[in-house]
Amino acid sequence: MTGRERFLAACRCRTVDRPPIWLMRQAGRALPEYRALRQRYSFLDLVRTPELAAEVTLQPVRRFGFDAAILFSDILVANEGLGQGYRFRDEGGIAMDFAVKSARDLERLEVARVRERLAYLPAAVRCVREGLGDQTALLGFAGAPWTLANFALEGGSAEVWERAKRLWFEEPALYEALLERLTRAVTEVLRMQIEAGVDAVQVFDSLAGELPAGTYAEAGLPWLQEVVRSVAGRVPVIVFARGYHGDWSRLIGPGVSVVGVDWQVELPEVAARLPAAVGVQGNLDPFLLTLGPAVVRSEAGRLLGVMGGRPGWIFNLGHGVPPAARLDSMEALVQTVREFAGTVSADRLSS
Amino acid sequence: MTGRERFLAACRCRTVDRPPIWLMRQAGRALPEYRALRQRYSFLDLVRTPELAAEVTLQPVRRFGFDAAILFSDILVANEGLGQGYRFRDEGGIAMDFAVKSARDLERLEVARVRERLAYLPAAVRCVREGLGDQTALLGFAGAPWTLANFALEGGSAEVWERAKRLWFEEPALYEALLERLTRAVTEVLRMQIEAGVDAVQVFDSLAGELPAGTYAEAGLPWLQEVVRSVAGRVPVIVFARGYHGDWSRLIGPGVSVVGVDWQVELPEVAARLPAAVGVQGNLDPFLLTLGPAVVRSEAGRLLGVMGGRPGWIFNLGHGVPPAARLDSMEALVQTVREFAGTVSADRLSS
C-alpha cells in the first residue's frame, strides 16, 4: 500500500495496513532545510513562488516519508484573493492591508478577481504534484470563513479576537455580507487546488474556540458547511474546527469525510461520538515533539493502542508542529506509527 | 429565601425559588468604585489589608445584590504563604520573587509558615462577614496545585506555559515534590478561610486547559482532588478546571459539590453527563457583558430556558467579568436571573 492509497483509504474509512500519518505544519521552522531557504526568501516569497512552495512542501516528505504532503501556503490567501493582502509585522503577528470596518470596506473585497490574484496557487499544486510522484497523497487547504473574518475585521492577528464576535451580535447584516464573500473566496481557493490535482483538502477553522460551542454552531459552522458542500464529492474533505468542543456530530455535514480533533480533548471519546463511517484525524499533543524521543514513542504508542484499530483514523498532531520540535522526536513519532502492528479493518463497519 | 440560603441550597442540589447568581471576578476593574480605590491603593494593598479587601468584596454585592460574595484575594497567596511572593510587572503580567528551577529552590517553599505569612487572610474573611450580614453567602477560594505550579516554575505568568508540563514528563520526582508542597499550602489557605467563616469554597484550576484532558487527569486532577478531600465535609466545594473538556464525571471526587463549567462548552450537554446530585455552575460567555443589555438579556434568557429548572445550578459566567464589562449589562443580567419564573424543584431527584 502506498502512502497515498493508505491516506485516501483512511479518508473513506476503508481497510488499511496501518494508520496513515502526516502532521499539520510539517513543513516549516522545525526543519533546518526550511530555515536555510528562509535565509534567502521571505515567507511570502515561498508561498507565492510555485517552485519554492513546492520545495518547502516536499522537504518533510523527503526527510520523514509522511503518507501525505500538504501544500505550503497560508489560510490568508483567500483574503488576499479578495484584495485584502497580508504581511508579517516586524514585531510579530500579521497585518492585513486594511481592516474591514464598514459596508464600504466590504466593497473592496472582489470575489471576481480571486482566481486571477491567486494564479500562483494552482501553479504551486502542479509543481508539487510533479515532484511528489504518485506514492504520496497531496492535501490542499483553506481557512474557514469564520476564522478569516476575524483577520479581516481585526486588520490582522489580535491578542483578543473580538470584532467578529461583536459584529455577529450587533450588526448581523454586515456580518453575513462579509461571511458570504469570504465563503465564495474560500470555495474558489479549494476549487483551484482541486482542479490542479490535490487528492484531498482540509478546511481549518483555527479560531472556532473563540466562540462558545453553541454560538459557533450558529455563527461559524454554517459557513464552513457551505464551503464543504460546494466542493463535496470531488475529493475527501477534512474539517478542523480548533477549540470546538461541543456536540461533535454537529460538525458532520454533507461532504465531510474526516473530522480533525485538537489536542485538548480525548480522541477515543470524540471518535466514540461520531458515526463509524466518518474518519477522525488527530490528536497527539504537539508539545511532546519538544521533548525527547522516548516520551514521544510512549505517548504515541498509547494513542495507537486505543485508536489504532479504528478504520478511518489518520494519525496527526492536535495542532501544528511547534518550531522547537526536535527532529529525533519527529523521526521517533513517524517510526512508531509505521511499526504499528495492530489490525485496521473496515470489516466491522459492514458487519 | 435569602441569597445565602438560595446559594447553599443550590450547592446541595435542593429546591430553590430561582437559580442563585454570582459572577467570577465580580469585584474589580469593571466597577468605578473599585477603580476609585485603586487610585489610592495597589492591588496587593487591597488584598493584604483586611478592611480594604472587605470593602472591595462588598462593592459588587451592594451594587447588584448578588446571592454570594467572593473574598477579594488572589490564587497566588498560596505561593506567597510558602515564601514565593508575587508582584505585578510594570509591563503587565505577574512576576514571582524567584522561579523554582531545582530541588534546592523547592526547599525555599516552607509549608510550616503559610498560616503566619497569610494572617491577613482570615482577618479579611472576618471583616467581610461582618459587613456582609447573614443574607448573602460568602465564598472563599484558592488556586489548584497544577495552576500554581505553573506560576512557581515559570517565575510568573508566561506567554506559553511549558515548564510544568515539561517537568511532569521529564522529572516526575521533582514535579511530585513541588505539587506536594503546593497541595499542602492550598489546603492551609482553604482551611484558614473556612475556620474564619466562609460558607463555601471554590478551587480554580485556571490552567487545566494547558494540558490534554487525559494528561490533566494524571498530572493535575489528583492534586486538585487531594485538596478537595482535605476540606470535604466542612463546606460545599466548587471545582472549576478551566479549559478541561474531557470526561466530566472524572472531575467528581469525594467532597466535590459543584462542577464549574467554562464558556467554551455547552452547559446543558455537560450537565447531562453529570449525576443529578452534583451541582453545576456557569457558564455565560463573559464577552457578552461588553455588549448591550438587550443581547445579555436574550442570551441569559436562553441559558435560563434550558438550565433554569435543574436543581443545583448556580448561574455564573464561564470565566471572570472582563474589565470592559458594561454596568448596564451586568445589571440586566442580574435582573434577568432574578425574574426567572420557572420552577427549580429537587423533587425530581428523589422521584
Side-chain angles (χ1 to χ4, degrees):
Chain A
M1 209 165 201
T2 68
R4 190 183 196 181
E5 288 165 346
R6 186 178 295 116
F7 176 82
L8 289 171
C11 285
R12 299 187 165 93
C13 292
R14 298 198 181 133
T15 302
V16 288
D17 52 350
R18 61 157 174 85
I21 178 172
W22 71 279
L23 305 182
M24 290 187 275
R25 221 177 288 153
Q26 62 192 17
R29 282 194 283 166
L31 304 187
E33 55 270 36
Y34 174 83
R35 294 196 300 268
L37 264 185
R38 282 284 280 107
Q39 298 276 328
R40 290 191 286 152
Y41 303 100
S42 73
F43 176 89
L44 290 179
D45 287 340
L46 297 180
V47 166
R48 292 173 187 165
T49 314
E51 294 72 20
L52 294 173
E55 169 58 20
V56 174
T57 303
L58 294 174
Q59 283 175 346
V61 178
R62 277 191 214 116
R63 185 183 273 270
F64 298 113
F66 289 116
D67 295 304
I70 182 161
L71 179 69
F72 185 77
S73 186
D74 196 282
I75 59 169
L76 294 175
V77 298
N79 300 56
E80 179 193 344
L82 288 166
Q84 187 189 30
Y86 65 102
R87 60 181 177 78
F88 291 82
R89 295 186 192 116
D90 291 339
E91 67 275 22
I94 286 160
M96 312 301 294
D97 287 348
F98 60 93
V100 173
K101 299 204 164 168
S102 63
R104 209 164 145 185
D105 294 330
L106 210 63
E107 296 309 312
R108 298 171 69 178
L109 306 180
E110 306 156 298
V111 176
R113 293 190 56 194
V114 172
R115 282 190 173 247
E116 163 207 334
R117 287 198 181 101
L118 302 180
Y120 63 79
L121 204 56
V125 171
R126 282 187 295 266
C127 223
V128 178
R129 196 76 269 183
E130 212 167 287
L132 192 63
D134 58 4
Q135 309 282 298
T136 308
L138 175 57
L139 264 163
F141 75 93
W146 158 254
T147 293
L148 302 180
N150 273 273
F151 282 91
L153 291 160
E154 302 282 355
S157 42
E159 263 186 59
V160 183
W161 301 92
E162 61 162 37
R163 291 197 184 163
K165 206 166 166 177
R166 183 175 290 273
L167 202 69
W168 191 73
F169 282 109
E170 295 188 335
E171 294 184 67
L174 184 56
Y175 180 88
E176 296 241 332
L178 172 61
L179 274 277
E180 165 69 24
R181 283 191 198 216
L182 288 166
T183 299
R184 288 166 67 192
V186 171
T187 300
E188 284 298 296
V189 165
L190 292 177
R191 284 186 177 154
M192 286 164 85
Q193 295 176 0
I194 293 167
E195 288 158 15
V198 300
D199 295 306
V201 293
Q202 175 158 327
V203 188
F204 288 82
D205 219 347
S206 312
L207 300 178
E210 296 294 322
L211 291 175
T215 310
Y216 177 72
E218 295 175 9
L221 194 51
W223 306 96
L224 169 61
Q225 286 172 332
E226 195 176 319
V227 166
V228 174
R229 260 196 311 274
S230 72
V231 298
R234 304 197 190 189
V235 294
V237 179
I238 306 172
V239 297
F240 179 55
R242 187 158 77 89
Y244 174 82
H245 301 150
D247 177 353
W248 290 91
S249 65
R250 264 200 308 225
L251 290 181
I252 309 166
V256 172
S257 311
V258 179
V259 171
V261 178
D262 67 47
W263 58 269
Q264 285 190 295
V265 291
E266 285 177 277
L267 190 55
E269 224 190 296
V270 175
R273 298 229 180 85
L274 291 171
V278 172
V280 290
Q281 176 177 279
N283 78 342
L284 196 76
D285 185 357
F287 173 77
L288 295 172
L289 292 180
T290 68
L291 305 177
V295 174
V296 170
R297 252 184 237 110
S298 135
E299 294 292 311
R302 276 165 66 148
L303 193 55
L304 282 159
V306 282
M307 287 296 299
R310 190 199 195 269
W313 177 42
I314 299 168
F315 196 111
N316 207 318
L317 304 175
H319 194 199
V321 173
R326 286 171 53 162
L327 296 175
D328 54 352
S329 295
M330 289 180 74
E331 182 60 44
L333 173 57
V334 175
Q335 235 178 39
T336 305
V337 175
R338 206 175 278 138
E339 287 160 6
F340 175 71
T343 311
V344 191
S345 163
D347 288 354
R348 60 158 127 162
L349 288 186
S350 43
S351 67
Chain B
M1 209 164 201
T2 68
R4 191 184 195 179
E5 289 165 346
R6 187 178 294 118
F7 176 82
L8 289 171
C11 284
R12 298 187 165 93
C13 292
R14 297 195 182 134
T15 302
V16 288
D17 52 350
R18 61 156 173 87
I21 177 171
W22 71 279
L23 305 182
M24 290 187 274
R25 219 177 288 154
Q26 63 193 17
R29 281 193 283 165
L31 304 188
E33 55 271 36
Y34 173 83
R35 294 195 302 266
L37 264 185
R38 282 284 281 105
Q39 299 277 325
R40 290 191 286 152
Y41 303 101
S42 73
F43 176 88
L44 290 179
D45 287 340
L46 297 181
V47 166
R48 291 172 187 166
T49 313
E51 294 72 18
L52 293 174
E55 169 58 20
V56 175
T57 303
L58 294 173
Q59 283 175 348
V61 179
R62 277 190 214 116
R63 186 183 272 271
F64 298 113
F66 289 116
D67 295 303
I70 182 161
L71 179 69
F72 186 76
S73 187
D74 196 282
I75 57 169
L76 294 174
V77 297
N79 299 57
E80 178 193 345
L82 288 167
Q84 188 188 31
Y86 65 102
R87 60 180 177 77
F88 291 81
R89 296 185 192 117
D90 291 340
E91 67 275 23
I94 287 160
M96 311 302 294
D97 287 348
F98 59 94
V100 173
K101 299 205 164 169
S102 63
R104 209 165 147 185
D105 293 332
L106 211 61
E107 296 311 311
R108 299 172 68 179
L109 305 182
E110 307 156 298
V111 176
R113 294 189 57 194
V114 171
R115 282 188 175 250
E116 162 205 336
R117 286 199 181 102
L118 301 181
Y120 62 79
L121 205 55
V125 170
R126 283 188 295 266
C127 223
V128 178
R129 194 78 270 182
E130 212 167 287
L132 192 62
D134 57 3
Q135 309 283 296
T136 307
L138 175 57
L139 263 163
F141 75 94
W146 157 254
T147 293
L148 302 180
N150 273 274
F151 281 92
L153 291 160
E154 301 282 354
S157 41
E159 262 185 60
V160 183
W161 301 93
E162 60 163 37
R163 291 196 185 166
K165 205 166 167 177
R166 182 175 291 274
L167 201 69
W168 192 74
F169 282 108
E170 294 188 335
E171 294 184 68
L174 185 56
Y175 180 87
E176 296 241 334
L178 172 61
L179 274 277
E180 167 67 25
R181 283 190 198 219
L182 288 167
T183 298
R184 288 165 66 194
V186 170
T187 300
E188 283 299 296
V189 165
L190 292 177
R191 284 186 177 153
M192 287 163 86
Q193 295 176 1
I194 293 167
E195 289 158 15
V198 299
D199 294 306
V201 293
Q202 175 157 327
V203 188
F204 287 82
D205 219 346
S206 312
L207 299 178
E210 295 294 321
L211 291 175
T215 309
Y216 176 72
E218 295 175 10
L221 194 51
W223 307 97
L224 169 61
Q225 285 172 333
E226 195 176 319
V227 166
V228 174
R229 261 196 310 273
S230 72
V231 298
R234 304 194 190 192
V235 294
V237 179
I238 307 172
V239 297
F240 179 54
R242 187 160 75 89
Y244 174 83
H245 301 149
D247 177 352
W248 290 91
S249 66
R250 266 201 307 226
L251 290 181
I252 309 168
V256 172
S257 312
V258 178
V259 171
V261 178
D262 68 45
W263 58 269
Q264 286 190 294
V265 292
E266 285 177 276
L267 189 55
E269 225 189 296
V270 175
R273 298 226 179 86
L274 291 171
V278 172
V280 290
Q281 175 177 280
N283 78 341
L284 197 75
D285 185 356
F287 173 77
L288 295 172
L289 293 179
T290 68
L291 306 178
V295 173
V296 170
R297 252 183 238 113
S298 135
E299 295 292 311
R302 277 164 66 149
L303 193 54
L304 283 159
V306 281
M307 286 296 298
R310 190 198 195 270
W313 177 43
I314 299 169
F315 196 113
N316 207 319
L317 304 175
H319 193 199
V321 174
R326 287 171 54 164
L327 296 174
D328 54 351
S329 295
M330 290 179 75
E331 182 59 44
L333 173 56
V334 175
Q335 236 178 39
T336 304
V337 175
R338 207 175 278 138
E339 287 161 6
F340 175 70
T343 310
V344 192
S345 164
D347 288 353
R348 59 158 127 165
L349 289 186
S350 43
S351 67

